[in-house]
Amino acid sequence: MPRENCEMPLILIKNNMKLMFRSKAFLLMMVIMPIIVIALLSSAFKDMMASAREIDPFTVGYRITADSPYQTYLSELKKASAENDVTLTEYPEGEIEKLIKNGSVTAFVDIQDDDYILYQSSEKKAEALITESIFDRFFYQVDANTALVKAQMAQGIVDIKLLEPDGNQLSQEVLEVEPMPTSTDYYGIIYIVFWSFCGMMPLAAVISSERKNAIPQRMRVSQMTKTQFYLAKFVPCFLVTFIEMALAWTISALLFNVHWGQLPASVGIILLATMAAAAIGVFLYQLFSKVVVSVVVGFFLTWVLGFFGGSFDPYFYEDFPLMLMKASPIYYVNRTLVEFSTKGYSDYTGTCLIYLIGLILVFGILGSMLMNRKVEE
């Protein structure tokens, strides 16, 4: 490839970055707004999230069907609950709603054949979250160990450590409740994520300039390839957004003492989030003829994904169906980074990475196709 062909996209990338940095409105919005929102929401929700982290012991009622396979493990479940200051009390009869309303129990669990239903009060969401965490993790362990035992028995293995002499499984490990972040840590993390997904907006300055100066028409007679023309928009968009987020990240961490866990991995995920936002942004700017429409649609889309993903109300307090929450990539990014902060690891890391890389590839291909068609037209 001639040297001019290599230098041209680099020059265009450099010029596009200059255009974005000259847009003072977008620059201030992407750096200052996250800091302002973090300060306001972390203060507003400080008491609520602090009380969720310091919960008094409480009682959970339960009933279980006679043929439920979990009957065997009730004593172990009660032991695990007691270790987490939760008392399980059986109520084989009575209306569940009345038991919760009159304060006999804080939450109620109806254990069925192979599942359970959790009933909770809207005023006791934190306690319900702890209850759900205990039951989810306990039943997961029981099911996993049961499957392991069956598999070993099917292979003819006699010396099974998970079985007692009478054929029952050994007691499960005591469970730890999911740690809760402070309001400062939570909002200090998730609003860096939210504004990373708003990274499509600074590209508006480039698109406006290109259309004003008929750059796409000039590209037709240039020696740049279609891929280089696409990268000339995509690369500066995510680089500028990442630089802006790095500034907001650093300032908020210093001002509010936000605790980020697994820093290298967190940086990598935020970088991928800005790349996903850039890919979506290029696609939207090619899809719509007006820049304003593209910006409005992009911000609305980000707002909806953030609404279901925990950007406004903590995701562990949300009442939305889990299916809706998991449809939002912001949910996976939020949960992964918050759990990095509270636990040091997250079981959602793999799904988060797959989701972000998938967005980059899918919208990168779609955006490139639209761009190529418009240049040819």
Side-chain angles (χ1 to χ4, degrees), residues 30-31 34-35 38 186-198 241 244-253 258 260 266 270 273-274 333-334 337:
M30 296 294 290
V31 176
I35 297 171
I38 289 169
Y186 183 83
Y187 286 105
I189 292 171
I190 61 102
Y191 268 98
I192 297 298
V193 174
F194 181 80
W195 287 97
S196 295
F197 275 89
C198 293
T241 304
E244 291 170 339
M245 289 301 98
L247 287 173
W249 184 338
T250 303
I251 294 171
S252 62
V258 179
W260 288 75
S266 298
I270 292 296
T274 60
V333 179
N334 284 344
L337 296 182

PDB file of all heavy atoms in Angstrom, residues 30-31 34-35 38 186-198 241 244-253 258 260 266 270 273-274 333-334 337:
ATOM      1  N   MET A  30     -19.532  15.795  28.707  1.00  0.00           N
ATOM      2  CA  MET A  30     -19.009  14.448  28.920  1.00  0.00           C
ATOM      3  C   MET A  30     -18.079  14.355  30.127  1.00  0.00           C
ATOM      4  O   MET A  30     -17.875  13.263  30.668  1.00  0.00           O
ATOM      5  CB  MET A  30     -18.274  13.969  27.671  1.00  0.00           C
ATOM      6  CG  MET A  30     -19.150  13.821  26.439  1.00  0.00           C
ATOM      7  SD  MET A  30     -20.382  12.516  26.577  1.00  0.00           S
ATOM      8  CE  MET A  30     -19.349  11.068  26.508  1.00  0.00           C
ATOM      9  N   VAL A  31     -17.507  15.475  30.565  1.00  0.00           N
ATOM     10  CA  VAL A  31     -16.588  15.450  31.702  1.00  0.00           C
ATOM     11  C   VAL A  31     -17.252  15.953  32.980  1.00  0.00           C
ATOM     12  O   VAL A  31     -17.136  15.345  34.046  1.00  0.00           O
ATOM     13  CB  VAL A  31     -15.313  16.276  31.400  1.00  0.00           C
ATOM     14  CG1 VAL A  31     -14.405  16.320  32.626  1.00  0.00           C
ATOM     15  CG2 VAL A  31     -14.568  15.689  30.216  1.00  0.00           C
ATOM     16  N   PRO A  34     -21.018  13.887  34.410  1.00  0.00           N
ATOM     17  CA  PRO A  34     -20.907  12.700  35.265  1.00  0.00           C
ATOM     18  C   PRO A  34     -20.536  13.047  36.702  1.00  0.00           C
ATOM     19  O   PRO A  34     -21.074  12.458  37.651  1.00  0.00           O
ATOM     20  CB  PRO A  34     -19.794  11.883  34.594  1.00  0.00           C
ATOM     21  CG  PRO A  34     -19.772  12.336  33.189  1.00  0.00           C
ATOM     22  CD  PRO A  34     -20.156  13.786  33.218  1.00  0.00           C
ATOM     23  N   ILE A  35     -19.645  14.025  36.879  1.00  0.00           N
ATOM     24  CA  ILE A  35     -19.213  14.406  38.229  1.00  0.00           C
ATOM     25  C   ILE A  35     -20.372  15.021  39.016  1.00  0.00           C
ATOM     26  O   ILE A  35     -20.583  14.710  40.187  1.00  0.00           O
ATOM     27  CB  ILE A  35     -18.028  15.394  38.139  1.00  0.00           C
ATOM     28  CG1 ILE A  35     -16.840  14.711  37.460  1.00  0.00           C
ATOM     29  CG2 ILE A  35     -17.632  15.888  39.523  1.00  0.00           C
ATOM     30  CD1 ILE A  35     -15.704  15.644  37.139  1.00  0.00           C
ATOM     31  N   ILE A  38     -22.928  12.222  39.841  1.00  0.00           N
ATOM     32  CA  ILE A  38     -22.381  11.355  40.895  1.00  0.00           C
ATOM     33  C   ILE A  38     -22.527  12.029  42.256  1.00  0.00           C
ATOM     34  O   ILE A  38     -22.951  11.405  43.244  1.00  0.00           O
ATOM     35  CB  ILE A  38     -20.902  11.016  40.613  1.00  0.00           C
ATOM     36  CG1 ILE A  38     -20.795  10.071  39.422  1.00  0.00           C
ATOM     37  CG2 ILE A  38     -20.247  10.369  41.840  1.00  0.00           C
ATOM     38  CD1 ILE A  38     -19.365   9.902  38.904  1.00  0.00           C
ATOM     39  N   TYR A 186     -21.283   3.096  44.191  1.00  0.00           N
ATOM     40  CA  TYR A 186     -22.220   2.639  43.169  1.00  0.00           C
ATOM     41  C   TYR A 186     -22.378   3.686  42.064  1.00  0.00           C
ATOM     42  O   TYR A 186     -22.138   3.408  40.888  1.00  0.00           O
ATOM     43  CB  TYR A 186     -23.581   2.320  43.790  1.00  0.00           C
ATOM     44  CG  TYR A 186     -24.565   1.767  42.771  1.00  0.00           C
ATOM     45  CD1 TYR A 186     -24.548   0.425  42.429  1.00  0.00           C
ATOM     46  CD2 TYR A 186     -25.476   2.603  42.138  1.00  0.00           C
ATOM     47  CE1 TYR A 186     -25.425  -0.076  41.470  1.00  0.00           C
ATOM     48  CE2 TYR A 186     -26.354   2.117  41.185  1.00  0.00           C
ATOM     49  CZ  TYR A 186     -26.332   0.770  40.855  1.00  0.00           C
ATOM     50  OH  TYR A 186     -27.193   0.287  39.895  1.00  0.00           O
ATOM     51  N   TYR A 187     -22.774   4.891  42.451  1.00  0.00           N
ATOM     52  CA  TYR A 187     -23.031   5.913  41.438  1.00  0.00           C
ATOM     53  C   TYR A 187     -21.732   6.442  40.830  1.00  0.00           C
ATOM     54  O   TYR A 187     -21.724   6.904  39.684  1.00  0.00           O
ATOM     55  CB  TYR A 187     -23.865   7.048  42.026  1.00  0.00           C
ATOM     56  CG  TYR A 187     -25.306   6.634  42.227  1.00  0.00           C
ATOM     57  CD1 TYR A 187     -25.811   6.362  43.494  1.00  0.00           C
ATOM     58  CD2 TYR A 187     -26.152   6.465  41.136  1.00  0.00           C
ATOM     59  CE1 TYR A 187     -27.121   5.960  43.674  1.00  0.00           C
ATOM     60  CE2 TYR A 187     -27.467   6.055  41.309  1.00  0.00           C
ATOM     61  CZ  TYR A 187     -27.943   5.807  42.567  1.00  0.00           C
ATOM     62  OH  TYR A 187     -29.236   5.389  42.733  1.00  0.00           O
ATOM     63  N   GLY A 188     -20.640   6.370  41.573  1.00  0.00           N
ATOM     64  CA  GLY A 188     -19.348   6.766  41.020  1.00  0.00           C
ATOM     65  C   GLY A 188     -18.889   5.845  39.911  1.00  0.00           C
ATOM     66  O   GLY A 188     -18.129   6.265  39.027  1.00  0.00           O
ATOM     67  N   ILE A 189     -19.355   4.607  39.938  1.00  0.00           N
ATOM     68  CA  ILE A 189     -19.002   3.634  38.896  1.00  0.00           C
ATOM     69  C   ILE A 189     -20.006   3.659  37.748  1.00  0.00           C
ATOM     70  O   ILE A 189     -19.630   3.779  36.573  1.00  0.00           O
ATOM     71  CB  ILE A 189     -18.911   2.216  39.495  1.00  0.00           C
ATOM     72  CG1 ILE A 189     -17.711   2.119  40.443  1.00  0.00           C
ATOM     73  CG2 ILE A 189     -18.815   1.164  38.389  1.00  0.00           C
ATOM     74  CD1 ILE A 189     -17.663   0.837  41.244  1.00  0.00           C
ATOM     75  N   ILE A 190     -21.281   3.572  38.094  1.00  0.00           N
ATOM     76  CA  ILE A 190     -22.269   3.366  37.026  1.00  0.00           C
ATOM     77  C   ILE A 190     -22.477   4.608  36.160  1.00  0.00           C
ATOM     78  O   ILE A 190     -22.942   4.483  35.018  1.00  0.00           O
ATOM     79  CB  ILE A 190     -23.616   2.844  37.588  1.00  0.00           C
ATOM     80  CG1 ILE A 190     -24.226   3.835  38.550  1.00  0.00           C
ATOM     81  CG2 ILE A 190     -23.440   1.495  38.247  1.00  0.00           C
ATOM     82  CD1 ILE A 190     -25.328   4.645  37.966  1.00  0.00           C
ATOM     83  N   TYR A 191     -22.144   5.808  36.664  1.00  0.00           N
ATOM     84  CA  TYR A 191     -22.306   6.978  35.796  1.00  0.00           C
ATOM     85  C   TYR A 191     -21.113   7.202  34.884  1.00  0.00           C
ATOM     86  O   TYR A 191     -21.221   7.887  33.876  1.00  0.00           O
ATOM     87  CB  TYR A 191     -22.678   8.225  36.602  1.00  0.00           C
ATOM     88  CG  TYR A 191     -24.176   8.329  36.653  1.00  0.00           C
ATOM     89  CD1 TYR A 191     -24.890   7.873  37.752  1.00  0.00           C
ATOM     90  CD2 TYR A 191     -24.887   8.782  35.548  1.00  0.00           C
ATOM     91  CE1 TYR A 191     -26.268   7.899  37.769  1.00  0.00           C
ATOM     92  CE2 TYR A 191     -26.267   8.804  35.554  1.00  0.00           C
ATOM     93  CZ  TYR A 191     -26.958   8.368  36.664  1.00  0.00           C
ATOM     94  OH  TYR A 191     -28.325   8.375  36.653  1.00  0.00           O
ATOM     95  N   ILE A 192     -19.974   6.628  35.204  1.00  0.00           N
ATOM     96  CA  ILE A 192     -18.896   6.568  34.221  1.00  0.00           C
ATOM     97  C   ILE A 192     -19.321   5.627  33.096  1.00  0.00           C
ATOM     98  O   ILE A 192     -19.080   5.889  31.913  1.00  0.00           O
ATOM     99  CB  ILE A 192     -17.584   6.081  34.872  1.00  0.00           C
ATOM    100  CG1 ILE A 192     -17.118   7.076  35.943  1.00  0.00           C
ATOM    101  CG2 ILE A 192     -16.500   5.888  33.818  1.00  0.00           C
ATOM    102  CD1 ILE A 192     -16.813   8.457  35.421  1.00  0.00           C
ATOM    103  N   VAL A 193     -19.996   4.537  33.463  1.00  0.00           N
ATOM    104  CA  VAL A 193     -20.507   3.590  32.458  1.00  0.00           C
ATOM    105  C   VAL A 193     -21.560   4.262  31.581  1.00  0.00           C
ATOM    106  O   VAL A 193     -21.521   4.184  30.345  1.00  0.00           O
ATOM    107  CB  VAL A 193     -21.106   2.342  33.140  1.00  0.00           C
ATOM    108  CG1 VAL A 193     -21.764   1.428  32.106  1.00  0.00           C
ATOM    109  CG2 VAL A 193     -20.046   1.588  33.907  1.00  0.00           C
ATOM    110  N   PHE A 194     -22.514   4.941  32.214  1.00  0.00           N
ATOM    111  CA  PHE A 194     -23.620   5.554  31.466  1.00  0.00           C
ATOM    112  C   PHE A 194     -23.105   6.566  30.450  1.00  0.00           C
ATOM    113  O   PHE A 194     -23.507   6.554  29.284  1.00  0.00           O
ATOM    114  CB  PHE A 194     -24.592   6.239  32.432  1.00  0.00           C
ATOM    115  CG  PHE A 194     -25.774   6.881  31.756  1.00  0.00           C
ATOM    116  CD1 PHE A 194     -26.855   6.122  31.355  1.00  0.00           C
ATOM    117  CD2 PHE A 194     -25.790   8.255  31.509  1.00  0.00           C
ATOM    118  CE1 PHE A 194     -27.943   6.713  30.719  1.00  0.00           C
ATOM    119  CE2 PHE A 194     -26.864   8.847  30.877  1.00  0.00           C
ATOM    120  CZ  PHE A 194     -27.944   8.077  30.478  1.00  0.00           C
ATOM    121  N   TRP A 195     -22.185   7.433  30.871  1.00  0.00           N
ATOM    122  CA  TRP A 195     -21.678   8.449  29.956  1.00  0.00           C
ATOM    123  C   TRP A 195     -20.714   7.865  28.932  1.00  0.00           C
ATOM    124  O   TRP A 195     -20.500   8.453  27.870  1.00  0.00           O
ATOM    125  CB  TRP A 195     -21.053   9.597  30.735  1.00  0.00           C
ATOM    126  CG  TRP A 195     -22.110  10.433  31.387  1.00  0.00           C
ATOM    127  CD1 TRP A 195     -22.541  10.354  32.668  1.00  0.00           C
ATOM    128  CD2 TRP A 195     -22.910  11.450  30.762  1.00  0.00           C
ATOM    129  NE1 TRP A 195     -23.570  11.237  32.890  1.00  0.00           N
ATOM    130  CE2 TRP A 195     -23.815  11.932  31.742  1.00  0.00           C
ATOM    131  CE3 TRP A 195     -22.946  11.995  29.481  1.00  0.00           C
ATOM    132  CZ2 TRP A 195     -24.736  12.931  31.471  1.00  0.00           C
ATOM    133  CZ3 TRP A 195     -23.876  12.993  29.216  1.00  0.00           C
ATOM    134  CH2 TRP A 195     -24.751  13.458  30.204  1.00  0.00           C
ATOM    135  N   SER A 196     -20.137   6.718  29.232  1.00  0.00           N
ATOM    136  CA  SER A 196     -19.339   6.028  28.210  1.00  0.00           C
ATOM    137  C   SER A 196     -20.224   5.606  27.047  1.00  0.00           C
ATOM    138  O   SER A 196     -19.817   5.675  25.881  1.00  0.00           O
ATOM    139  CB  SER A 196     -18.647   4.798  28.809  1.00  0.00           C
ATOM    140  OG  SER A 196     -17.696   5.159  29.780  1.00  0.00           O
ATOM    141  N   PHE A 197     -21.451   5.192  27.360  1.00  0.00           N
ATOM    142  CA  PHE A 197     -22.387   4.799  26.308  1.00  0.00           C
ATOM    143  C   PHE A 197     -22.984   6.006  25.588  1.00  0.00           C
ATOM    144  O   PHE A 197     -23.626   5.839  24.552  1.00  0.00           O
ATOM    145  CB  PHE A 197     -23.504   3.921  26.888  1.00  0.00           C
ATOM    146  CG  PHE A 197     -23.142   2.468  26.973  1.00  0.00           C
ATOM    147  CD1 PHE A 197     -22.509   1.960  28.097  1.00  0.00           C
ATOM    148  CD2 PHE A 197     -23.412   1.612  25.928  1.00  0.00           C
ATOM    149  CE1 PHE A 197     -22.154   0.620  28.182  1.00  0.00           C
ATOM    150  CE2 PHE A 197     -23.060   0.274  25.987  1.00  0.00           C
ATOM    151  CZ  PHE A 197     -22.427  -0.226  27.118  1.00  0.00           C
ATOM    152  N   CYS A 198     -22.779   7.203  26.155  1.00  0.00           N
ATOM    153  CA  CYS A 198     -23.195   8.424  25.459  1.00  0.00           C
ATOM    154  C   CYS A 198     -22.103   8.920  24.519  1.00  0.00           C
ATOM    155  O   CYS A 198     -22.201  10.017  23.966  1.00  0.00           O
ATOM    156  CB  CYS A 198     -23.527   9.523  26.471  1.00  0.00           C
ATOM    157  SG  CYS A 198     -24.983   9.191  27.481  1.00  0.00           S
ATOM    158  N   THR A 241     -13.938   9.856  23.532  1.00  0.00           N
ATOM    159  CA  THR A 241     -14.842   9.494  24.632  1.00  0.00           C
ATOM    160  C   THR A 241     -14.081   8.860  25.781  1.00  0.00           C
ATOM    161  O   THR A 241     -14.317   9.184  26.953  1.00  0.00           O
ATOM    162  CB  THR A 241     -15.932   8.523  24.143  1.00  0.00           C
ATOM    163  OG1 THR A 241     -16.631   9.108  23.059  1.00  0.00           O
ATOM    164  CG2 THR A 241     -16.912   8.203  25.262  1.00  0.00           C
ATOM    165  N   GLU A 244     -12.177  11.499  27.683  1.00  0.00           N
ATOM    166  CA  GLU A 244     -13.112  12.277  28.512  1.00  0.00           C
ATOM    167  C   GLU A 244     -13.557  11.479  29.735  1.00  0.00           C
ATOM    168  O   GLU A 244     -13.636  12.020  30.849  1.00  0.00           O
ATOM    169  CB  GLU A 244     -14.321  12.683  27.671  1.00  0.00           C
ATOM    170  CG  GLU A 244     -13.992  13.705  26.595  1.00  0.00           C
ATOM    171  CD  GLU A 244     -15.125  13.905  25.619  1.00  0.00           C
ATOM    172  OE1 GLU A 244     -15.998  13.002  25.514  1.00  0.00           O
ATOM    173  OE2 GLU A 244     -15.152  14.948  24.952  1.00  0.00           O
ATOM    174  N   MET A 245     -13.830  10.199  29.542  1.00  0.00           N
ATOM    175  CA  MET A 245     -14.238   9.362  30.672  1.00  0.00           C
ATOM    176  C   MET A 245     -13.089   9.167  31.663  1.00  0.00           C
ATOM    177  O   MET A 245     -13.305   9.092  32.875  1.00  0.00           O
ATOM    178  CB  MET A 245     -14.733   8.001  30.173  1.00  0.00           C
ATOM    179  CG  MET A 245     -16.074   8.041  29.462  1.00  0.00           C
ATOM    180  SD  MET A 245     -17.397   8.701  30.513  1.00  0.00           S
ATOM    181  CE  MET A 245     -17.449  10.410  29.964  1.00  0.00           C
ATOM    182  N   ALA A 246     -11.872   9.081  31.147  1.00  0.00           N
ATOM    183  CA  ALA A 246     -10.709   8.955  32.029  1.00  0.00           C
ATOM    184  C   ALA A 246     -10.571  10.194  32.912  1.00  0.00           C
ATOM    185  O   ALA A 246     -10.250  10.096  34.108  1.00  0.00           O
ATOM    186  CB  ALA A 246      -9.444   8.742  31.204  1.00  0.00           C
ATOM    187  N   LEU A 247     -10.839  11.376  32.340  1.00  0.00           N
ATOM    188  CA  LEU A 247     -10.796  12.608  33.127  1.00  0.00           C
ATOM    189  C   LEU A 247     -11.886  12.615  34.194  1.00  0.00           C
ATOM    190  O   LEU A 247     -11.624  12.915  35.366  1.00  0.00           O
ATOM    191  CB  LEU A 247     -10.957  13.818  32.199  1.00  0.00           C
ATOM    192  CG  LEU A 247      -9.763  14.177  31.311  1.00  0.00           C
ATOM    193  CD1 LEU A 247     -10.141  15.285  30.334  1.00  0.00           C
ATOM    194  CD2 LEU A 247      -8.590  14.616  32.184  1.00  0.00           C
ATOM    195  N   ALA A 248     -13.126  12.283  33.779  1.00  0.00           N
ATOM    196  CA  ALA A 248     -14.238  12.246  34.733  1.00  0.00           C
ATOM    197  C   ALA A 248     -13.996  11.192  35.809  1.00  0.00           C
ATOM    198  O   ALA A 248     -14.286  11.403  37.002  1.00  0.00           O
ATOM    199  CB  ALA A 248     -15.548  11.959  33.993  1.00  0.00           C
ATOM    200  N   TRP A 249     -13.479  10.055  35.407  1.00  0.00           N
ATOM    201  CA  TRP A 249     -13.152   8.952  36.310  1.00  0.00           C
ATOM    202  C   TRP A 249     -12.134   9.416  37.358  1.00  0.00           C
ATOM    203  O   TRP A 249     -12.335   9.227  38.573  1.00  0.00           O
ATOM    204  CB  TRP A 249     -12.596   7.809  35.479  1.00  0.00           C
ATOM    205  CG  TRP A 249     -12.271   6.533  36.186  1.00  0.00           C
ATOM    206  CD1 TRP A 249     -12.021   6.352  37.513  1.00  0.00           C
ATOM    207  CD2 TRP A 249     -12.161   5.239  35.583  1.00  0.00           C
ATOM    208  NE1 TRP A 249     -11.751   5.036  37.781  1.00  0.00           N
ATOM    209  CE2 TRP A 249     -11.838   4.327  36.618  1.00  0.00           C
ATOM    210  CE3 TRP A 249     -12.283   4.771  34.286  1.00  0.00           C
ATOM    211  CZ2 TRP A 249     -11.644   2.967  36.370  1.00  0.00           C
ATOM    212  CZ3 TRP A 249     -12.104   3.419  34.054  1.00  0.00           C
ATOM    213  CH2 TRP A 249     -11.787   2.535  35.079  1.00  0.00           C
ATOM    214  N   THR A 250     -11.050  10.034  36.906  1.00  0.00           N
ATOM    215  CA  THR A 250      -9.988  10.465  37.819  1.00  0.00           C
ATOM    216  C   THR A 250     -10.476  11.541  38.786  1.00  0.00           C
ATOM    217  O   THR A 250     -10.223  11.468  39.997  1.00  0.00           O
ATOM    218  CB  THR A 250      -8.792  11.005  37.010  1.00  0.00           C
ATOM    219  OG1 THR A 250      -8.339   9.989  36.110  1.00  0.00           O
ATOM    220  CG2 THR A 250      -7.653  11.402  37.934  1.00  0.00           C
ATOM    221  N   ILE A 251     -11.194  12.531  38.247  1.00  0.00           N
ATOM    222  CA  ILE A 251     -11.687  13.633  39.097  1.00  0.00           C
ATOM    223  C   ILE A 251     -12.671  13.112  40.135  1.00  0.00           C
ATOM    224  O   ILE A 251     -12.591  13.464  41.324  1.00  0.00           O
ATOM    225  CB  ILE A 251     -12.345  14.721  38.232  1.00  0.00           C
ATOM    226  CG1 ILE A 251     -11.291  15.382  37.338  1.00  0.00           C
ATOM    227  CG2 ILE A 251     -13.014  15.774  39.108  1.00  0.00           C
ATOM    228  CD1 ILE A 251     -11.870  16.312  36.286  1.00  0.00           C
ATOM    229  N   SER A 252     -13.618  12.252  39.717  1.00  0.00           N
ATOM    230  CA  SER A 252     -14.617  11.731  40.666  1.00  0.00           C
ATOM    231  C   SER A 252     -13.974  10.836  41.714  1.00  0.00           C
ATOM    232  O   SER A 252     -14.374  10.859  42.888  1.00  0.00           O
ATOM    233  CB  SER A 252     -15.708  10.961  39.918  1.00  0.00           C
ATOM    234  OG  SER A 252     -15.168   9.827  39.240  1.00  0.00           O
ATOM    235  N   ALA A 253     -12.965  10.050  41.312  1.00  0.00           N
ATOM    236  CA  ALA A 253     -12.285   9.181  42.278  1.00  0.00           C
ATOM    237  C   ALA A 253     -11.549  10.009  43.326  1.00  0.00           C
ATOM    238  O   ALA A 253     -11.541   9.661  44.523  1.00  0.00           O
ATOM    239  CB  ALA A 253     -11.317   8.254  41.557  1.00  0.00           C
ATOM    240  N   VAL A 258     -14.056   7.251  45.257  1.00  0.00           N
ATOM    241  CA  VAL A 258     -14.757   6.102  44.691  1.00  0.00           C
ATOM    242  C   VAL A 258     -13.792   4.915  44.618  1.00  0.00           C
ATOM    243  O   VAL A 258     -12.669   5.059  44.145  1.00  0.00           O
ATOM    244  CB  VAL A 258     -15.290   6.428  43.284  1.00  0.00           C
ATOM    245  CG1 VAL A 258     -16.012   5.216  42.684  1.00  0.00           C
ATOM    246  CG2 VAL A 258     -16.219   7.635  43.337  1.00  0.00           C
ATOM    247  N   TRP A 260     -12.701   1.585  43.014  1.00  0.00           N
ATOM    248  CA  TRP A 260     -12.805   0.713  41.850  1.00  0.00           C
ATOM    249  C   TRP A 260     -12.004  -0.556  42.125  1.00  0.00           C
ATOM    250  O   TRP A 260     -10.882  -0.502  42.608  1.00  0.00           O
ATOM    251  CB  TRP A 260     -12.242   1.398  40.610  1.00  0.00           C
ATOM    252  CG  TRP A 260     -13.113   2.505  40.078  1.00  0.00           C
ATOM    253  CD1 TRP A 260     -13.261   3.753  40.612  1.00  0.00           C
ATOM    254  CD2 TRP A 260     -13.961   2.451  38.927  1.00  0.00           C
ATOM    255  NE1 TRP A 260     -14.137   4.490  39.866  1.00  0.00           N
ATOM    256  CE2 TRP A 260     -14.583   3.721  38.816  1.00  0.00           C
ATOM    257  CE3 TRP A 260     -14.238   1.481  37.974  1.00  0.00           C
ATOM    258  CZ2 TRP A 260     -15.480   4.022  37.795  1.00  0.00           C
ATOM    259  CZ3 TRP A 260     -15.124   1.783  36.954  1.00  0.00           C
ATOM    260  CH2 TRP A 260     -15.741   3.027  36.866  1.00  0.00           C
ATOM    261  N   SER A 266     -11.289  -3.162  34.775  1.00  0.00           N
ATOM    262  CA  SER A 266     -12.299  -2.101  34.711  1.00  0.00           C
ATOM    263  C   SER A 266     -11.985  -1.133  33.581  1.00  0.00           C
ATOM    264  O   SER A 266     -12.889  -0.710  32.837  1.00  0.00           O
ATOM    265  CB  SER A 266     -12.365  -1.350  36.045  1.00  0.00           C
ATOM    266  OG  SER A 266     -12.755  -2.206  37.100  1.00  0.00           O
ATOM    267  N   ILE A 270     -14.421  -0.393  30.295  1.00  0.00           N
ATOM    268  CA  ILE A 270     -14.854   0.957  29.919  1.00  0.00           C
ATOM    269  C   ILE A 270     -14.398   1.281  28.493  1.00  0.00           C
ATOM    270  O   ILE A 270     -15.131   1.895  27.711  1.00  0.00           O
ATOM    271  CB  ILE A 270     -14.303   2.005  30.903  1.00  0.00           C
ATOM    272  CG1 ILE A 270     -14.951   1.831  32.290  1.00  0.00           C
ATOM    273  CG2 ILE A 270     -14.558   3.417  30.396  1.00  0.00           C
ATOM    274  CD1 ILE A 270     -16.441   2.069  32.319  1.00  0.00           C
ATOM    275  N   ALA A 273     -16.719  -0.388  26.232  1.00  0.00           N
ATOM    276  CA  ALA A 273     -18.010   0.302  26.251  1.00  0.00           C
ATOM    277  C   ALA A 273     -17.976   1.530  25.341  1.00  0.00           C
ATOM    278  O   ALA A 273     -18.938   1.806  24.610  1.00  0.00           O
ATOM    279  CB  ALA A 273     -18.370   0.710  27.675  1.00  0.00           C
ATOM    280  N   THR A 274     -16.871   2.287  25.360  1.00  0.00           N
ATOM    281  CA  THR A 274     -16.762   3.452  24.480  1.00  0.00           C
ATOM    282  C   THR A 274     -16.683   3.022  23.014  1.00  0.00           C
ATOM    283  O   THR A 274     -17.210   3.705  22.132  1.00  0.00           O
ATOM    284  CB  THR A 274     -15.529   4.304  24.843  1.00  0.00           C
ATOM    285  OG1 THR A 274     -14.332   3.523  24.700  1.00  0.00           O
ATOM    286  CG2 THR A 274     -15.612   4.804  26.276  1.00  0.00           C
ATOM    287  N   VAL A 333     -22.504  -4.439  32.315  1.00  0.00           N
ATOM    288  CA  VAL A 333     -21.325  -3.627  32.619  1.00  0.00           C
ATOM    289  C   VAL A 333     -21.410  -3.098  34.045  1.00  0.00           C
ATOM    290  O   VAL A 333     -20.438  -3.162  34.807  1.00  0.00           O
ATOM    291  CB  VAL A 333     -21.185  -2.465  31.610  1.00  0.00           C
ATOM    292  CG1 VAL A 333     -19.960  -1.618  31.945  1.00  0.00           C
ATOM    293  CG2 VAL A 333     -21.086  -2.999  30.194  1.00  0.00           C
ATOM    294  N   ASN A 334     -22.585  -2.572  34.417  1.00  0.00           N
ATOM    295  CA  ASN A 334     -22.769  -2.065  35.784  1.00  0.00           C
ATOM    296  C   ASN A 334     -22.504  -3.144  36.821  1.00  0.00           C
ATOM    297  O   ASN A 334     -21.764  -2.938  37.789  1.00  0.00           O
ATOM    298  CB  ASN A 334     -24.192  -1.535  35.963  1.00  0.00           C
ATOM    299  CG  ASN A 334     -24.403  -0.177  35.309  1.00  0.00           C
ATOM    300  OD1 ASN A 334     -23.439   0.508  34.976  1.00  0.00           O
ATOM    301  ND2 ASN A 334     -25.645   0.206  35.132  1.00  0.00           N
ATOM    302  N   LEU A 337     -18.716  -4.250  37.061  1.00  0.00           N
ATOM    303  CA  LEU A 337     -17.815  -3.282  37.678  1.00  0.00           C
ATOM    304  C   LEU A 337     -18.145  -3.042  39.149  1.00  0.00           C
ATOM    305  O   LEU A 337     -17.245  -2.851  39.971  1.00  0.00           O
ATOM    306  CB  LEU A 337     -17.854  -1.967  36.901  1.00  0.00           C
ATOM    307  CG  LEU A 337     -17.355  -2.042  35.456  1.00  0.00           C
ATOM    308  CD1 LEU A 337     -17.392  -0.668  34.802  1.00  0.00           C
ATOM    309  CD2 LEU A 337     -15.949  -2.617  35.399  1.00  0.00           C
TER     310      LEU A 337
END
